[in-house]
């Protein structure tokens, strides 16, 4: 991940947080609007679980530490795909929800560099989701 992408993602998250505060409830509301199966699957989850999941997702967005074969992302994919029957469309919806909320939360500060950074990073993550065994 390039330094400029990390900077753009971090900057947009900071602006969004300054404008909206805690965006986790908004992200999940949007996520469930985009994916009814995800809402059914996560109906039992509480705010703490959702916050932890969001925190882990932020790590994926801002660092390369969790990528690669047998990395943390692969471990999470194994867990989600096998234990919870998560499908890749749910990942698409989740990242779309996060991007939508951040874009809306940054308002006029959202620019083409932000859009490009978010698109590139989420696509990198989704590429690994699609390559992962069991997610086809």
């Amino acid at each position: 991940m390039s330094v400029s992408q990390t900077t753009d993602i971090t900057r947009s998250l900071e602006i969004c947080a300054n404008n909206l505060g805690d965006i986790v409830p908004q992200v999940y509301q949007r996520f469930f609007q985009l994916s009814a199966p995800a809402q059914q699957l996560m109906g039992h989850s509480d705010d703490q679980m959702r916050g932890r999941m969001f925190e882990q997702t932020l790590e994926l967005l801002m660092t390369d530490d969790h990528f690669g074969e047998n990395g943390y992302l692969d471990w999470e994919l194994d867990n989600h795909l096998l234990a919870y029957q998560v499908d890749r469309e749910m990942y698409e919806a989740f990242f779309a929800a996060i991007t939508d909320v951040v874009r809306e939360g940054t308002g006029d500060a959202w620019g083409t560099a932000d859009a490009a950074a978010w698109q590139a990073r989420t696509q990198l993550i989704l590429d690994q989701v699609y390559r992962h065994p069991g997610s086809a």
Side-chain angles (χ1 to χ4, degrees), residues 7-39:
T7 301
D8 292 334
I9 289 171
T10 301
R11 184 188 65 81
S12 61
L13 284 165
E14 288 172 350
I15 293 168
C16 181
N18 286 335
N19 290 340
L20 300 179
D22 180 9
I23 65 170
V24 173
Q26 291 168 299
V27 166
Y28 280 94
Q29 179 181 14
R30 181 69 52 88
F31 177 41
F32 295 152
Q33 288 170 347
L34 295 172
S35 178
Q39 185 173 18

Side-chain angles (χ1 to χ4, degrees), residues 2 17 28-29 36-37 48 50 52 58 62 66 69 83 91 99 106 130 134:
S2 75
Y28 280 94
Q29 179 181 14
Q48 184 176 7
R50 291 176 186 184
R52 179 71 179 131
L58 291 179
M62 294 188 288
H66 304 299
E69 189 173 336
Y91 288 96
T99 305
T106 58
Y130 298 142

Side-chain angles (χ1 to χ4, degrees), residues 3-4 9-10 22 26 29 33-34 36 38 40 43 45-46 49 56 61 92 95 97 100 109 111-113 115 118 122:
V3 172
S4 65
I9 289 171
T10 301
D22 180 9
Q26 291 168 299
Q29 179 181 14
Q33 288 170 347
L34 295 172
Q40 277 186 305
S45 65
D46 60 15
M49 180 180 157
Q56 291 168 333
L61 289 166
E92 291 176 22
F95 285 105
D100 288 351
T112 56
W118 279 87
T122 58

Side-chain angles (χ1 to χ4, degrees), residues 46-86:
D46 60 15
D47 291 341
Q48 184 176 7
M49 180 180 157
R50 291 176 186 184
R52 179 71 179 131
M53 185 174 144
F54 185 73
E55 177 186 325
Q56 291 168 333
T57 303
L58 291 179
E59 289 181 34
L60 288 173
L61 289 166
M62 294 188 288
T63 181
D64 290 331
D65 294 347
H66 304 299
F67 289 88
E69 189 173 336
N70 298 318
Y72 180 72
L73 179 55
D74 271 354
W75 181 86
E76 282 289 359
L77 290 169
D78 284 342
N79 186 34
H80 290 153
L81 297 168
L82 298 174
Y84 299 105
Q85 284 70 51
V86 171

